[in-house]
Amino acid sequence: MTSAPNVTRVSADGVAWLASAGPHPRSTLALWEERPDAPVVLPCGTVFDVVSAPAVFGRRMLDRLWDEGAGSGPVAVFRGRTLLFAAPGTAQRLPSLLDWEEWGSQRARAVPPLLCHSTGDAITVPPLTCDDAGGSARWLVAPDTRHPWLPGPEMLLWAAVRAARPAVRISIFPPAGQDAKVYDVSRRR
């Protein structure tokens, strides 16, 4: 069982990667050099997409990615939401995969909506140094390389379905009717 790394400070390579998302990377780098404690708004869609989940559900997704999967890319918390940085294109594909998994059905009402940010959207990234662990904007997994691994839509779908399992049973099969005869085949004699 692996847990998410305790990387809460953005490395110099991570700073360069984040700045590359903006239209003026040098200006972003200059701002951060002057004020590393300032949050910055960056566009999505070219360097990364972002999947935003309510804090607790997003943390469960993150735990699934690290405990049972391949790990995560950078992850931040901002204003009560968990921001999972994902591969570009994820925001367009993930909603249709969630629909295919019957995400909007009656059985999945306990699962919160995931907001997908891509081209045309921007997100606020936390400060580079977050000494306030209880702050409203902080890194859970800070970027530490110029080319971080970013999960794609299939990996995030898998993590969301796994995170939802304690709350609701998600199945691609329709529910049995009230008059259906259901046999328990798990007990063989």
Side-chain angles (χ1 to χ4, degrees):
M1 185 186 258
T2 310
S3 62
N6 189 11
V7 181
T8 57
R9 289 181 182 260
V10 181
S11 71
D13 285 341
V15 170
W17 175 72
L18 284 169
S20 72
H24 307 287
R26 281 196 254 163
S27 298
T28 303
L29 289 171
L31 170 69
W32 271 331
E33 230 175 76
E34 198 173 297
R35 294 204 46 223
D37 59 338
V40 173
V41 176
L42 292 175
C44 300
T46 1
V47 175
F48 54 77
D49 281 0
V50 172
V51 175
S52 172
V56 173
F57 189 77
R59 184 57 198 230
R60 277 196 268 160
M61 285 178 65
L62 178 62
D63 289 345
R64 294 311 168 275
L65 286 166
W66 281 98
D67 291 347
E68 305 168 21
S72 71
V75 178
V77 172
F78 184 71
R79 292 188 178 168
R81 298 202 57 96
T82 300
L83 307 175
L84 297 131
F85 286 68
T90 298
Q92 283 84 23
R93 181 80 177 116
L94 185 58
S96 62
L97 290 175
L98 292 170
D99 286 345
W100 183 79
E101 283 287 336
E102 299 179 0
W103 208 253
S105 72
Q106 284 287 93
R107 291 172 283 160
R109 282 213 174 171
V111 178
L114 301 179
L115 306 176
C116 298
H117 303 284
S118 190
T119 305
D121 298 327
I123 55 134
T124 302
V125 297
L128 302 178
T129 56
C130 295
D131 295 324
D132 177 17
S136 65
R138 62 190 168 91
W139 290 101
L140 295 177
V141 180
D144 61 353
T145 178
R146 285 185 190 262
H147 304 285
W149 178 79
L150 298 171
E154 294 84 6
M155 185 63 66
L156 289 174
L157 171 70
W158 174 87
V161 168
R162 295 270 192 197
R165 280 193 179 157
V168 67
R169 180 176 166 83
I170 296 175
S171 171
I172 61 171
F173 300 106
Q178 285 185 335
D179 297 331
K181 293 183 180 179
V182 179
Y183 300 97
D184 183 3
V185 294
S186 63
R187 294 186 196 168
R188 295 184 125 173
R189 295 182 196 235

